[in-house]
Amino acid sequence: MSENQDLVVILTALNLEYQAVRRRLAGPQVRRHERGTRFEVGTVQGTSCRVALALTNKGNHSAAVIAERAIQEFSPVAVVFVGVAGALWETARLGDVVVATHVYAYHGGTSEDDGLKARPRVWEAPHGISQLASHLARVDDWADDAPGRERAPQVRFGAIAAGEVVQNSRISAEARWIRQHYNDALAIEMEAAGVAQAGHLSGAPVAIVRGISDRADGTKSSAKDRSWQPRAAANAAAFATRLALELVQEKEQTVMDRADGARAAGRLEDHISNTAYGSTVGIMAGSVKDSSVHLNTDAGPKAASPKGLAAELDGFRLHLVRHHAEGALDDDTCREALADLDSARRAAEHGTPESARKALMTLKRLRGLIADCPALAARLAPLVVAAGGPA
């Protein structure tokens, strides 16, 4: 995979939500965007899944800007917005997690003599994310074990309404209007529409994960509902980080499957090049004299195609990351090795003789860098040969 294809961006609006996610990360390091936005990049504890965490502050507009910056900075597997929300109906109980099947920007409308007519924008959750989230909900092993907890939080799937006003009433004109026109929405909040729009424009998959902390019914400021905020934020963070881990693992599997496909295609190409069709025979590095065919058996190993070598390098990257996660490589060696690997991949993709030489030299340097890890060195050796090096 490329440099950031093992990374998921997680965004939050409140410090409470930010800290709930951050507690689940190991070794967070600050990364500053050129415009001043600060991200913390760490790994989900006990895994090699990387997460870039940032605070957007309240509102759809701010969330959209920060989401766009995060996507440009990291090119992530996905963007996950995590936080708390108010429940619009009794379906979702306090502490439950709501995963958006679609997001309504409910402030879209037209004001006419007979009232305000709803004209929302709607963003549907990506199919793959919805399927994966549903699977995790069925498996139901994502929540923390909390002593004394009356019941485990449940995952609910449905629409989320996102606007620009804190909703804390059941009887106000706006509250009645929302429940009338968006009666399938399970929860209401203030950032999902902005993040969904940023993902739509950038082509990045977006997931919205919210913990229910109140009922948006006038009791938000009560001591009881305030006590639910940290619990709801923790539940949302637990599900979101598990979702991030599964998204990265699926991406890794996809890369490995493609690498296997490229290897199979290469073997088929080799087979075809040595197979006769009708009266035509393909011969490489050979000659014909009289009625005899002479093959040059000293031609040496055949270099891989640029596309095939790039796919093989993607597969090798997964093994490199895993050996680092298992402690076989230290941080500095892994960082240098990944840099060499990415450089070799870029060179291999160009397909020119000069870039092929550069790829070979970089892979030879990489071979020396990981020489103390025999398992990795053994996996790299045929790639050096495929790049044109000696067997």
Side-chain angles (χ1 to χ4, degrees):
M1 293 190 295
S2 65
E3 180 182 0
N4 292 316
Q5 285 183 329
D6 61 344
L7 179 145
V8 171
V9 166
I10 294 183
L11 304 175
T12 71
L14 306 176
N15 273 306
L16 173 78
E17 301 158 343
Y18 186 100
Q19 292 296 339
V21 177
R22 193 178 189 276
R23 282 192 286 271
R24 296 180 171 276
L25 302 183
Q29 300 292 321
V30 173
R31 179 159 161 177
R32 182 181 177 277
H33 186 270
E34 62 180 356
R35 297 296 182 185
T37 304
R38 296 173 73 87
F39 297 90
E40 285 194 280
V41 182
T43 57
V44 177
Q45 290 183 5
T47 76
S48 59
C49 169
R50 294 194 303 149
V51 166
L53 176 63
L55 188 71
T56 67
N57 291 317
K58 295 180 182 179
N60 289 293
H61 302 299
S62 175
V65 171
I66 302 304
E68 175 73 11
R69 286 184 180 176
I71 293 166
Q72 290 182 345
E73 183 78 9
F74 296 103
S75 299
V77 172
V79 177
V80 184
F81 201 93
V82 180
V84 299
L88 290 174
W89 310 101
E90 298 297 326
T91 306
R93 296 181 290 181
L94 296 180
D96 281 352
V97 171
V98 174
V99 178
T101 56
H102 49 291
V103 175
Y104 292 128
Y106 68 79
H107 272 127
T110 178
S111 179
E112 300 180 5
D113 290 344
D114 58 347
L116 181 63
K117 306 299 178 59
R119 289 188 180 178
R121 294 201 64 183
V122 183
W123 296 269
E124 189 173 352
H127 176 68
I129 285 181
S130 293
Q131 290 283 296
L132 181 55
S134 296
H135 170 73
L136 294 179
R138 287 191 297 270
V139 173
D140 197 24
D141 63 352
W142 57 271
D144 295 329
D145 293 326
R149 184 169 56 191
E150 295 179 2
R151 68 175 186 88
Q154 301 298 305
V155 182
R156 313 290 180 180
F157 295 87
I160 286 180
E164 298 299 326
V165 176
V166 176
Q167 290 294 333
N168 191 29
S169 172
R170 277 191 178 274
I171 62 174
S172 70
E174 187 173 43
R176 291 197 302 268
W177 185 84
I178 290 171
R179 287 177 170 86
Q180 176 186 356
H181 291 280
Y182 303 96
N183 54 23
D184 63 333
L186 297 183
I188 188 166
E189 42 96 310
M190 299 173 62
E191 291 82 30
V195 179
Q197 174 71 348
H200 170 71
L201 295 177
S202 303
V206 168
I208 307 297
V209 180
R210 293 285 187 171
I212 298 300
S213 61
D214 62 84
R215 299 210 169 276
D217 60 357
T219 60
K220 187 185 292 288
S221 59
S222 69
K224 179 180 178 181
D225 276 12
R226 282 199 303 269
S227 72
W228 273 103
Q229 268 206 346
R231 295 163 68 178
N235 290 344
F239 188 83
T241 49
R242 176 63 183 278
L243 179 62
L245 174 60
E246 296 294 331
L247 285 167
V248 166
Q249 289 180 345
E250 280 201 348
K251 187 70 173 182
E252 290 178 347
Q253 186 61 51
T254 298
V255 170
M256 293 180 69
D257 290 344
R258 287 176 179 171
D260 289 342
R263 283 192 290 270
R267 289 193 294 270
L268 179 60
E269 181 181 348
D270 289 342
H271 173 71
I272 292 173
S273 68
N274 291 287
T275 302
Y277 290 95
S279 59
T280 303
V281 180
I283 303 172
M284 297 189 63
S287 61
V288 179
K289 185 176 181 181
D290 297 327
S291 60
S292 301
V293 177
H294 303 274
L295 296 178
N296 181 358
T297 58
D298 297 325
K302 180 182 177 182
S305 68
K307 183 177 179 181
L309 180 58
E312 294 282 359
L313 294 176
D314 282 341
F316 180 78
R317 192 180 200 279
L318 298 178
H319 294 290
L320 186 67
V321 171
R322 286 173 181 168
H323 276 73
H324 171 243
E326 293 167 359
L329 290 178
D330 59 54
D331 291 345
D332 291 339
T333 301
C334 182
R335 190 178 302 108
E336 292 182 30
L338 287 173
D340 280 350
L341 190 60
D342 290 341
S343 177
R345 191 192 191 286
R346 288 193 296 270
E349 284 184 323
H350 284 118
T352 65
E354 182 179 351
S355 63
R357 286 192 294 271
K358 180 179 178 181
L360 176 58
M361 292 177 60
T362 307
L363 289 177
K364 286 181 176 180
R365 183 168 65 244
L366 175 60
R367 183 171 58 186
L369 192 63
I370 62 171
D372 291 336
C373 185
L376 277 179
R379 287 186 178 276
L380 183 62
L383 302 187
V384 175
V385 174

